[in-house]
């Protein structure tokens, strides 16, 4: 039973590593050259600070996730991992929220502020950003599950001892 | 010593409740009527979905924070609070990141997307949003501290038992 749980956690961490890495790569490779009237311009992820932040955050978390895959299961460092998971899950949550807010303005615009939607001009770019956000969202969900599972595992024995 | 820690935690939770409530109220009351050329318009928080999300998230977390103030310290529910803290801290982090991303575009604009900054027209509105974001940021820091402290408190005894 303990072995099954360990394999499950390892698989979840492997998927989490894969999704954060993919999200960073998909977002970083999103670019499209387009011509509006006579003006040619290129849309790329570094145009928006929020998208840059998304790439950096996902890259950092994927390095962290990669290192964790090699941490032996009997290591005492796993206790520290709960606290690190909190910090890195927050980083992911924050980066995806910021990117989502900007992507929403790109898609729908904001008539009150006079910001026009740009997705009609750069459809391919928008779809790639959308893909990156979906993959990023999956990684946030997985980290959230891992975190709640760690907390449950740590707290439950105490509850059993006490009652 | 345990008593001092309990008072500290209670004070932190009281401040966290105060800051989330203030952030929601400051953001929700941000509005300014201005006239550009012959066009009169009102800027208010509900113009941006990200700001609405910020108000709702802070309101929810302040209700949660308020209820916690009345939870007796010997209650077993405190074990559940660690998991709830994770969820609500994520909600706060996510809402402040989204609002910050939009506020940044409002302040600096985004020349690549053709979005103009609006803060020159509605300075008072922008300052109020900035105030709400600063107060919201303080509440995120406090919740993060409370969370890391809870994890430290739960994990440390185990480490002592084991070594």
């Amino acid at each position: 039973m303990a072995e099954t749980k360990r394999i499950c956690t390892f698989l979840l961490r492997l998927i989490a590593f894969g999704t954060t890495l993919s999200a960073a790569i998909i977002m970083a490779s999103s670019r499209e050259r387009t011509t509006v009237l006579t003006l040619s311009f290129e849309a790329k992820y570094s145009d928006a600070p929020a998208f840059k932040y998304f790439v950096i955050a996902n890259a950092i978390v994927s390095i962290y996730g990669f290192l964790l895959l090699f941490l032996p299961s009997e290591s005492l460092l796993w206790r520290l991992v709960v606290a690190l998971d909190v910090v890195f899950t927050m980083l992911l949550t924050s980066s995806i929220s910021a990117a989502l807010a900007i992507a929403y303005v790109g898609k729908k615009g904001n008539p009150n502020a006079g910001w026009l939607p740009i997705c009609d001009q750069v459809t391919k770019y928008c779809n790639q950003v959308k893909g990156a956000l979906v993959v990023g969202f999956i990684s946030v969900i997985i980290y959230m599950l891992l975190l709640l599972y760690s907390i449950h595992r740590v707290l439950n024995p105490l509850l059993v001892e006490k009652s």
Side-chain angles (χ1 to χ4, degrees), chain A residues 15-25 58-59 61-62 92 135 139 143:
Chain A
I15 299 170
F17 163 66
T19 47
T20 47
L21 189 67
S22 318
I25 291 173
N58 273 281
V61 177
S62 61
L92 272 189
V135 177
S139 69
Y143 268 106

Side-chain angles (χ1 to χ4, degrees), chain A residues 85-158:
Chain A
D85 270 356
V86 170
V87 174
F88 285 112
T89 310
M90 299 273 159
L91 184 67
L92 272 189
T93 313
S94 146
S95 78
I96 198 168
S97 306
L100 203 61
I102 297 300
Y104 184 83
V105 178
K107 181 85 181 167
K108 303 267 179 180
N110 188 327
N112 304 297
W115 300 334
L116 296 174
I118 56 159
C119 277
D120 296 336
Q121 276 89 50
V122 282
T123 320
K124 191 177 140 273
Y125 170 70
C126 271
N127 284 337
Q128 206 163 342
V129 168
K130 205 194 286 173
L133 289 177
V134 170
V135 177
F137 196 69
I138 297 172
S139 69
V140 169
I141 301 275
I142 296 176
Y143 268 106
M144 187 107 179
L145 286 179
L146 283 169
L147 193 54
L148 289 178
Y149 172 67
S150 305
I151 289 173
H152 163 78
R153 200 185 46 193
V154 168
L155 286 182
N156 212 32
L158 288 177

Side-chain angles (χ1 to χ4, degrees), chain A residues 17-36:
Chain A
F17 163 66
T19 47
T20 47
L21 189 67
S22 318
I25 291 173
I26 296 172
M27 182 63 98
S29 64
S30 66
R31 54 179 66 234
E32 186 179 4
R33 178 162 286 286
T34 190
T35 311
V36 177

Side-chain angles (χ1 to χ4, degrees), chain A residues 3-74:
Chain A
E3 191 59 28
T4 321
K5 273 183 186 165
R6 199 147 59 209
I7 291 170
C8 276
T9 319
F10 181 81
L11 278 180
L12 271 183
R13 291 214 174 260
L14 195 65
I15 299 170
F17 163 66
T19 47
T20 47
L21 189 67
S22 318
I25 291 173
I26 296 172
M27 182 63 98
S29 64
S30 66
R31 54 179 66 234
E32 186 179 4
R33 178 162 286 286
T34 190
T35 311
V36 177
L37 298 176
T38 56
L39 210 72
S40 166
F41 69 94
E42 194 182 41
K44 52 184 186 304
Y45 84 97
S46 54
D47 289 350
F51 291 170
K52 268 199 267 188
Y53 175 42
F54 181 85
V55 171
I56 295 170
N58 273 281
I60 292 175
V61 177
S62 61
I63 293 171
Y64 165 73
F66 181 71
L67 292 179
L68 274 194
L69 294 179
F70 298 101
L71 194 63
S73 61
E74 66 275 10

